[in-house]
Amino acid sequence: MIRELQVCGIQDSRTLAAMRETPRHLFVEEAMQDLAYSDAPLPIGGGQTISQPYIVALMTETLALRGPEKVLEIGTGSGYQTVILSHLCARVCTVERVELLLNRARRLFDQLRCHNISSRLGDGTTGWPAAAPFDRIIVTAAGPEVPEPLLQQLADPGLLIMPVGDRSRQVLAVVERVEGEFLARELAPVRFVDLIGVHGWNEAD
Ligand code: SAH
């Protein structure tokens, strides 16, 4: 899997090392374990998916983590991306709205001895005000726009990455905060599950 990521253009050695150290098969359903190291998204229950390894790598590399950062992640899901981040920064604060998924992810954080992860059940579109500001914010579900509370909770300088678009296709948006200004660019076309919440999509729609 790591070789495949390199062929696809992932270069950051810290990202590749963190992915090499994280056993993806623990994060997927038992029936899917044979596919855990192929470059594909897989179901994790509750209609949610663990992202394709290439996208995890691309988003992680783009965050350009060097070690001291505090990172906010919205959409814990299986916890796979969370564990990778936990290898690369000082603290990860992660928010998930589906209790079953969060409980499962928490057990894996303990099992893998990731002690720098704080997690919370709730609507991540409002961020985690008590723990802000964050040097980096990563949203792993797709919404119509970047939630305003997340921009407010981004440190200066800071960097946010999130899939933005309609419910069937999106682009990875990268927002950099520098000296009070927000600079946005688009990284790649992607397809993520819905970000559901006050500043995301409505669940019923
Ligand atoms: N990064 C995850 C991908 C999970 S899929 C992984 O590596 O497995 C996206 C997740 O976002 C789902 O678990 C979904 O329940 C969650 N989600 C959607 N809207 C959310 C919200 N407003 N707050 C927190 N989590 C949310």
Side-chain angles (χ1 to χ4, degrees):
M1 182 182 93
I2 301 297
R3 248 195 316 275
E4 222 173 296
L5 295 174
Q6 286 173 306
V7 169
C8 292
I10 303 298
Q11 292 179 349
D12 179 50
S13 58
R14 294 186 78 232
T15 297
L16 293 166
M19 292 189 69
R20 195 178 290 119
E21 280 165 37
T22 306
R24 191 170 187 257
H25 66 274
L26 298 181
F27 296 83
V28 304
E29 289 177 348
E30 226 161 87
M32 298 284 166
Q33 288 197 344
D34 288 353
L35 296 172
Y37 297 96
S38 61
D39 194 21
L42 294 171
I44 55 172
Q48 306 302 321
T49 53
I50 181 173
S51 303
Q52 175 193 355
Y54 172 69
I55 296 297
V56 172
L58 180 66
M59 291 175 86
T60 306
E61 179 174 72
T62 303
L63 289 176
L65 295 166
R66 290 295 162 256
E69 299 88 358
K70 180 162 69 171
V71 178
L72 174 65
E73 179 195 38
I74 308 303
T76 317
S78 68
Y80 178 65
Q81 172 81 71
T82 322
V83 167
I84 290 166
L85 294 170
S86 82
H87 288 303
L88 297 170
C89 67
R91 174 144 298 273
V92 187
C93 297
T94 186
V95 186
E96 171 57 54
R97 63 183 287 277
V98 178
E99 190 166 13
L100 175 84
L101 294 177
L102 186 61
N103 289 341
R104 234 192 266 157
R106 280 175 170 162
R107 280 198 289 276
L108 287 168
F109 302 157
D110 287 342
Q111 186 183 331
L112 297 170
R113 298 195 173 79
C114 298
H115 300 307
N116 61 343
I117 298 173
S118 310
S119 58
R120 178 171 84 74
L121 182 70
D123 175 8
T125 66
T126 59
W128 192 330
F134 300 97
D135 305 297
R136 305 284 189 271
I137 298 179
I138 173 171
V139 184
T140 63
E145 59 190 11
V146 179
E148 186 59 35
L150 299 186
L151 293 174
Q152 283 165 10
Q153 291 169 37
L154 186 61
D156 187 351
L159 191 147
L160 173 151
I161 185 163
M162 169 178 168
V164 176
D166 62 31
R167 292 181 101 159
S168 55
R169 60 183 68 204
Q170 309 97 29
V171 290
L172 273 180
V174 180
V175 180
E176 263 182 274
R177 184 174 194 174
V178 193
E179 294 175 5
E181 304 272 333
F182 292 97
L183 311 168
R185 65 187 165 95
E186 292 179 356
L187 192 61
V190 284
R191 216 181 146 180
F192 275 75
V193 299
D194 290 348
L195 178 71
I196 293 165
V198 199
H199 300 274
W201 298 111
N202 195 326
E203 186 165 27
D205 291 344

